[in-house]
Each structure stands twice: as C-alpha cells, then as structure tokens.
Amino acid sequence: VGRNARENDWLTLFFASPKDLFLHAHGYSGSHVIVRTEGKQVPRRTLYEAALLAAYYSKARGKPTAVTLAKVADVRKPGFAKDGLVLVRKWRTIRIGVDEKTLLRLLAQLEEKDG
C-alpha cells in the first residue's frame, strides 16, 4: 500500500512485477495497492481485502466505492504526469462496501508489519 504519491510511483513502477495486480479507488485520489502474484491465480478473498485497503486509503474512505483492478503490465506513467498519476490500459472494476471488521483486522496487520 503506497502512503503518498512518490511511494505510489515506486510501488507500482519499480517494486511490482508486470504479472502483479494493481488496485486503486476509481475516481478518487489515494493509495496504489499491489498484490504480488508470482504469476499465480489470486484467491478472491485476497482481491477483496486489497480492494478494501485501496478504498480505505483514498478520498472514498468510509463509503462504498468502485476499485480499479489491473495487471501492473497494463499500468503506465505518461512522461508529463506528476507523482502518483498513472494511466491504466485494461482493467476491471470491483465494487466494495464498508466492512469494518475485516478492515480493522487488515489495518492491525499493517500496523504490526510497520512497527
């Protein structure tokens, strides 16, 4: 999960591999979320949790939203773009509600990892 525009760029453009998945709250500024796939199929639960984090770490926090899901290979940064801005060529949308219980568990795991 990117914490700011510069970190979003690093995460999506340098850390992630082309087969990984990119998630971002559609139509809102916010964090890029990367799911490492190692070329394997990702469980639905993992996609749901990643989408929940993308919505939480965006201006859509606290309300149902659509989350863009794409392969990192389909995400690029135009030369003129400011930090954090990317273009997505092919994507699908996940609609996500507010799931407080799951969100609190995920945030605790992130806090544990950061601390």
Side-chain angles (χ1 to χ4, degrees):
V1 176
R3 305 287 182 172
N4 56 51
R6 184 167 282 149
E7 198 171 302
N8 282 344
D9 275 355
W10 177 83
L11 184 67
T12 303
L13 304 171
F14 300 103
F15 174 77
S17 73
K19 292 180 180 178
D20 291 340
L21 299 177
F22 165 88
L23 294 95
H24 187 273
H26 189 78
Y28 293 94
S29 59
S31 293
H32 296 188
V33 176
I34 299 297
V35 175
R36 302 296 302 250
T37 68
E38 299 177 355
K40 298 176 185 169
Q41 181 125 0
V42 176
R44 292 185 125 195
R45 183 75 185 171
T46 301
L47 292 178
Y48 170 77
E49 291 173 349
L52 194 59
L53 288 171
Y56 177 79
Y57 284 109
S58 76
K59 298 285 183 181
R61 181 182 288 188
K63 54 186 163 185
T65 191
V67 175
T68 298
L69 168 65
K71 286 185 180 175
V72 170
D74 292 320
V75 178
R76 68 179 182 83
K77 184 171 192 70
F80 63 85
K82 61 184 178 178
D83 287 346
L85 179 68
V86 294
L87 297 177
V88 182
R89 185 176 44 188
K90 294 188 317 189
W91 73 92
R92 65 182 198 187
T93 303
I94 298 173
R95 299 227 178 257
I96 195 89
V98 179
D99 179 348
E100 293 286 333
K101 183 179 176 184
T102 302
L103 183 60
L104 290 174
R105 180 180 53 78
L106 293 171
L107 293 174
Q109 287 175 346
L110 283 174
E111 188 73 27
E112 196 174 284
K113 185 178 178 185
D114 288 343

